[in-house]
Amino acid sequence: MFERGRSSSVVARMVGIHPESVRRWKRLWEQGGVEALRRRPATGRPPKLDDVQVELFRTALEQGARVHGFEADLWTLERVGVVVERVTGVKLARASVWRLLTGRLGWSLRRPRRQAVERDESEIARWVAQEWPRVKRGR
């Protein structure tokens, strides 16, 4: 579009991008051509775990918490951190464990339902059908 002489504001409207972004792109394009607009790899510190380690870790988590010696089959960030260290030898902070779970693995927070183990749905249904009308009526 720049080669055809379109203005930055017209290009911005056509592609639905803020005009300042289009002006920045145009400056890059004028300095380095189309190659200057190509996506660059992310900068910053490389991840502590490579893809192979992440897959080993995923497999370990999918086995359940009890397999790894925990009393209940419930994952916490601390427990997940312990498993990461056991499986990969890499110690991660809680925030890094959270980013690993939500970012690289795409998992989300799930909380167990708070429900009594002794709960009996059939007994509850019977009580609601038979006892509750009597209680509601009063004496």
Side-chain angles (χ1 to χ4, degrees):
M1 289 186 226
F2 296 141
E3 288 175 343
R4 294 188 198 123
R6 308 264 180 166
S7 71
S8 296
S9 58
V10 170
V11 172
R13 276 194 305 275
M14 291 175 74
V15 297
I17 300 294
H18 194 275
E20 185 55 40
S21 295
V22 174
R23 286 190 285 276
R24 188 176 65 249
W25 295 345
K26 187 173 184 184
R27 281 192 303 273
L28 286 170
W29 175 74
E30 288 171 345
Q31 293 169 358
V34 175
E35 194 59 37
L37 296 173
R38 296 208 189 283
R39 185 178 292 234
R40 290 174 182 70
T43 59
R45 184 181 186 139
K48 287 185 175 183
L49 301 177
D50 61 28
D51 292 339
V52 172
Q53 289 173 312
V54 170
E55 283 308 310
L56 286 171
F57 163 68
R58 178 197 308 264
T59 303
L61 284 186
E62 288 172 346
Q63 293 172 346
R66 288 184 185 211
V67 170
H68 295 282
F70 299 108
E71 193 172 305
D73 212 9
L74 181 71
W75 288 113
T76 64
L77 289 177
E78 288 79 13
R79 288 180 176 187
V80 172
V82 168
V83 173
V84 168
E85 193 169 0
R86 284 181 191 165
V87 171
T88 66
V90 176
K91 184 171 179 64
L92 296 178
R94 286 184 72 208
S96 297
V97 170
W98 177 253
R99 279 192 303 274
L100 173 63
L101 291 171
T102 59
R104 292 188 70 186
L105 293 180
W107 291 5
S108 61
L109 174 65
R110 303 282 168 93
R111 294 204 172 153
R113 265 193 226 140
R114 291 192 169 270
Q115 198 171 74
V117 175
E118 303 86 7
R119 186 177 173 100
D120 183 354
E121 294 298 330
S122 61
E123 178 60 23
I124 292 170
R126 185 203 63 76
W127 189 89
V128 169
Q130 295 173 8
E131 302 294 327
W132 174 242
R134 184 181 58 76
V135 172
K136 189 175 178 183
R137 250 181 301 178
R139 294 182 186 198

